Amino acid sequence: MTTSENWDDLAAVTALSDGVRRSAYQAVADGGPEPVGRDEVADTLGVGRTLAAFHLDKLVDAGLLEVSYARRTGRSGPGAGRPAKLYRVVPWEHSVSVPPRAYRDAAEMLAEAVDRSGADQALYEVAREQGRREPASDPAAALAERGYSPVAGPDRIELRNCPFHRLAEEFPPLICGMNLALIDGMVAGSGWTARMDPAPGRCCVTLCKNKSD
């Protein structure tokens, strides 16, 4: 990472130091792949629309959110009203180390080496063993701590964020398989099963509640 990139990331992370702004970012992140409007964020935070808009636009300036416009009424043409300004979390990540470190470069080289050598099964075994060292009686809470942003239903847990997103884009079968093995190890014996279930805008793994016999 160059010095300028590191400072850009530092500026993005610093933007979250404000409590209201951090909550606004979380409100948008909780929307998953769907964009979120100012009114929705204001209602979630219990603040005025103007204040919500101010913090949302600061997050855009910091490179943490991106903007789109759409009519929320479903109508078009004259009389349909102005398009609403909508916000979504940017698809790339920000990380900061001072002084700069190249852990991401090392991870990419290691993933390339595993991929070339055909050692994927060994990687999956290690990932599953690592997961078993972190048994999750409450899978949603454990996965939230790991940054997966789980959305839990009675019989299904979707994961809106992939902590390995950058590597998964470059080495999809390898990293997604590692991810599945890790989560499978974590939830072993919890009454939940991890399954490969890729879809745009979220992690490739979902959890399903085991059916009782």
Side-chain angles (χ1 to χ4, degrees):
M1 179 183 292
T2 66
T3 301
S4 61
E5 289 172 334
N6 197 57
W7 280 113
D8 288 344
D9 284 344
L10 182 59
V13 174
T14 302
L16 296 173
S17 61
D18 180 275
V20 176
R21 199 166 300 163
R22 189 164 57 250
S23 297
Y25 178 84
Q26 187 62 53
V28 177
D30 287 344
E34 296 300 319
V36 177
R38 296 172 173 181
D39 290 339
E40 297 163 78
V41 174
D43 289 343
T44 299
L45 271 57
V47 301
R49 183 179 185 276
T50 301
L51 181 59
F54 170 79
H55 285 293
L56 288 167
D57 289 338
K58 287 294 184 183
L59 291 167
V60 172
D61 293 341
L64 292 164
L65 300 181
E66 59 185 7
V67 172
S68 62
Y69 294 87
R71 290 187 172 90
R72 308 303 293 272
T73 61
R75 294 160 48 195
S76 60
R82 295 174 57 189
K85 190 173 185 179
L86 306 175
Y87 301 84
R88 182 174 13 218
V89 172
V90 297
W92 53 88
E93 64 192 45
H94 294 276
S95 60
V96 176
S97 59
V98 181
R101 298 287 187 255
Y103 301 119
R104 184 183 298 159
D105 292 344
E108 289 174 353
M109 287 185 283
L110 288 168
E112 180 73 28
V114 171
D115 200 36
R116 288 188 185 184
S117 63
D120 50 333
Q121 292 303 318
L123 174 63
Y124 301 157
E125 290 174 12
V126 170
R128 190 169 286 105
E129 289 171 6
Q130 176 65 35
R132 287 172 179 161
R133 296 190 191 108
E134 306 174 26
S137 57
D138 183 347
L143 292 166
E145 289 183 5
R146 271 192 164 267
Y148 283 94
S149 299
V151 179
D155 301 310
R156 176 183 171 90
I157 300 175
E158 285 192 0
L159 308 175
R160 288 185 172 170
N161 182 58
C162 174
F164 313 110
H165 176 71
R166 182 67 63 87
L167 287 175
E169 284 189 319
E170 296 191 36
F171 309 96
L174 179 70
I175 301 303
C176 291
M178 178 197 75
N179 190 31
L180 176 63
L182 173 68
I183 297 174
D184 182 62
M186 290 177 65
V187 303
S190 69
W192 292 82
T193 298
R195 296 180 179 176
M196 192 68 74
D197 182 24
R202 62 171 171 80
C203 178
C204 61
V205 176
T206 59
L207 279 74
C208 296
K209 189 76 172 177
N210 296 343
K211 295 182 179 179
S212 57
D213 295 333

